[in-house]
Amino acid sequence: MSAEYDTASGTLIGHLHNALSDLAANPFPSVPNPPNCTKRASVALIIRLRPNFSHWPSFPQPNNEENLSASITQQLDNFFSQPWSQHGDPEILFIKRAARSGDRWTSHVALPGGKRDPDDADDRSTAIRETMEEVGIDLNDEHALFVGNLPERIVTTSW
């Protein structure tokens, strides 16, 4: 790999690659609910790398079937080794919650996600379902890569 495409070079893309690789290699432990807390919620941190017009991806892209059988770390390495990705612009998806009278979250800016339903198998399932409901993005799509989970927090409120 040439120095121009070295993701460890201290660039924003290099830092993003390193952070995602570290998250994949070191998952955070699950935090159970306290006995008196029955509610649980999950959010999805969605990062997209928007191509730069002067470094547009070439088509066809590498064989996706072979990539899907690789480890998450290898999939990340494959993605970030593409020359166009070194010049992309990372974007994070935020939503603005609806404005509703009496809603304590009214008009807040947030990551897509929400309350866990009884039918949700786990926190990841909740985030996938809520993201589809709120913004119409299917995180089960072959182009979406689940890298890992962020640290879980027990959040209580007196509202």
Side-chain angles (χ1 to χ4, degrees), residues 2-159:
S2 71
E4 181 181 357
Y5 302 121
D6 180 6
T7 59
S9 66
T11 65
L12 177 59
I13 298 299
H15 290 300
L16 177 61
H17 181 193
N18 291 337
L20 293 174
S21 296
D22 187 56
L23 184 62
N26 303 293
F28 289 95
S30 179
V31 177
N33 282 10
N36 59 346
C37 180
T38 58
K39 295 181 181 179
R40 195 163 179 100
S42 296
V43 297
L45 174 61
I46 300 172
I47 302 171
R48 175 179 88 153
L49 197 57
R50 183 173 44 90
N52 183 300
F53 288 110
S54 63
H55 294 89
W56 203 254
S58 60
F59 293 98
Q61 291 294 313
N63 186 336
N64 200 32
E65 288 181 24
E66 289 177 15
N67 198 41
L68 290 176
S69 64
S71 70
I72 298 298
T73 302
Q74 186 59 52
Q75 290 181 55
L76 287 168
D77 290 347
N78 292 345
F79 177 79
F80 284 104
S81 70
Q82 298 174 86
W84 75 267
S85 73
Q86 300 306 303
H87 303 279
D89 295 313
E91 300 174 332
I92 296 177
L93 176 68
F94 291 99
I95 63 169
K96 183 176 180 188
R97 301 231 178 259
R100 292 188 298 233
S101 180
D103 181 359
R104 63 179 164 207
W105 310 115
T106 191
S107 300
H108 282 198
V109 173
L111 297 170
K115 184 180 172 187
R116 187 169 175 176
D117 283 351
D119 293 340
D120 293 334
D122 52 26
D123 291 344
R124 180 177 172 180
S125 298
T126 302
I128 290 169
R129 177 185 51 76
E130 286 282 341
T131 298
M132 178 58 99
E133 289 175 5
E134 292 180 353
V135 294
I137 295 176
D138 183 2
L139 297 180
N140 286 317
D141 184 89
E142 68 182 49
H143 294 96
L145 178 61
F146 176 77
V147 175
N149 63 302
L150 298 174
E152 297 179 10
R153 299 284 186 256
I154 296 172
V155 179
T156 60
T157 181
S158 59
W159 288 5

